Amino acid sequence: MMKELREKLSSFPPGEFRSVYKSSLPDIAKAGLLNALKDGGFRAFHEKLILIPSFPHGIGVGVGLMAQTNVAGKILKLVIGSDAGASTNPESRKLALELQDRLVSGLGILGLGVSEPGWMGKLTNLKSTAKVLPSGEIELNFHKGFVTNGADAEGYLVVAREEEQNRFGVFFIPRNFQDLKIEEVYLDVAREATHCKITGENFKLPSHYHFIEDYTKLGADIHLSEMLSAAVLFCGAIRKIVSDLSQGSESRERFSVLGKLWDLSGLLYGKCLDISDKKDKDPNYKIEEDHPYGYEAILDECISILESIPNFDYKKEYPDLGLFCTIHPARSPVYIKNRLKQSKSWRKFGNL
């Protein structure tokens, strides 16, 4: 089925991006790349995801997949399982099941809106608000500046501050909600993953649209899960470049450089599969137990090696590779926090 997906993605003109992800969803579903949204494993997902960058339009499609699987998919699973911190309302579970079925079948897209202008990666800076009314309905005011997969989404998950409870809930907003304002956003890289801004004022939502009580307890692991898939995509992108540059006769020097890139991507991919196995075996596993795991270091080293290759401009030949520098994992507050925590163990090394 991956072969059919490659053929589908090859059918789009090189400059086309707007219709690619949504139009390819049925083929993506047939290839099994949406199985992890329901009961499929993350290892199986990542073993297929690493191949996507070798397909035309692949990195952009991969970004859409990593967001759908690790972000929206995770939240739906929590609601469906009535996990701690998720809504226990039977109507919420029914709605989440309906959304999950559409996503897994390749019929729909669900976007998550967390980031806002000026939020600096901290939930405490969010200005979007939610309030429970005497009727039980929820009044929501929000402006989200960047929703991955949002341009074609049939619904949105919005994180907003519940001021009375001093927590950050996650709320479902259907795309066809009256007066919802949607503005498409286009990046210079991986454009197939279409994004948007969404705004709503004084929205009145049914109580069962309240999916998650406090995103604070989920945010770090959801971010790290998304970055795990980004690391797999990066490995695939590097291997695609090595494959392309190894065609034809090569000098011994070029051969050595390509070997380093292949080895580095292999080391990182192996670590990603180890973590994927842990996610599959233990639903309570949190990636921060093993984070950082080398993605940041290998990303920087691979980019440095690519820049050292004579007569080769990776930014021109492979512009979508710039995505991984744009979302560089070492810039996130989660990375800094976990690196500081990890550094305490450095000082103990060798002390028996």
Side-chain angles (χ1 to χ4, degrees), residues 48 65 72 84 165 191 283 314 331:
K48 292 182 176 181
L65 284 169
Q165 302 284 348
R191 305 185 81 187
Y314 81 88
R331 297 197 191 106

Side-chain angles (χ1 to χ4, degrees), residues 20-30 34 105-109:
V20 172
Y21 184 70
K22 184 178 181 181
S23 300
S24 301
L25 275 177
D27 299 273
I28 289 170
K30 288 177 185 175
L34 298 172
S105 302
L107 299 175
I109 299 171

Side-chain angles (χ1 to χ4, degrees), residues 194-210:
T194 53
H195 315 286
C196 74
K197 302 176 183 179
I198 54 173
T199 303
E201 296 179 4
N202 300 320
F203 276 21
K204 304 295 191 299
L205 304 175
S207 59
H208 69 278
Y209 280 22
H210 187 179

Side-chain angles (χ1 to χ4, degrees), residues 46-55 58-59 228-244 261-262 264-266 268-269 272 295 302 318 321 324:
H46 286 145
E47 285 175 341
K48 292 182 176 181
L49 189 68
I50 193 173
L51 300 174
I52 292 292
S54 66
F55 299 176
I59 292 180
L228 181 68
S229 293
V232 172
L233 271 181
F234 177 72
C235 292
I238 291 297
R239 296 201 151 198
K240 165 63 174 169
I241 293 175
V242 171
S243 175
D244 290 348
L261 289 169
W262 188 268
L264 287 167
S265 64
L268 177 57
Y269 180 54
C272 291
Y295 174 30
C302 286
Y318 300 90
L321 195 67
F324 303 101

Side-chain angles (χ1 to χ4, degrees), residues 67-81:
Q68 198 74 145
T69 299
N70 297 293
V71 184
K74 172 69 173 180
I75 289 172
L76 292 180
K77 280 184 176 180
L78 291 171
V79 179
I80 291 166

Side-chain angles (χ1 to χ4, degrees), residues 169-181:
V170 181
F171 305 87
F172 173 67
I173 308 282
R175 183 189 184 93
N176 59 6
F177 206 94
Q178 187 175 1
D179 297 328
L180 176 65
K181 297 177 183 176

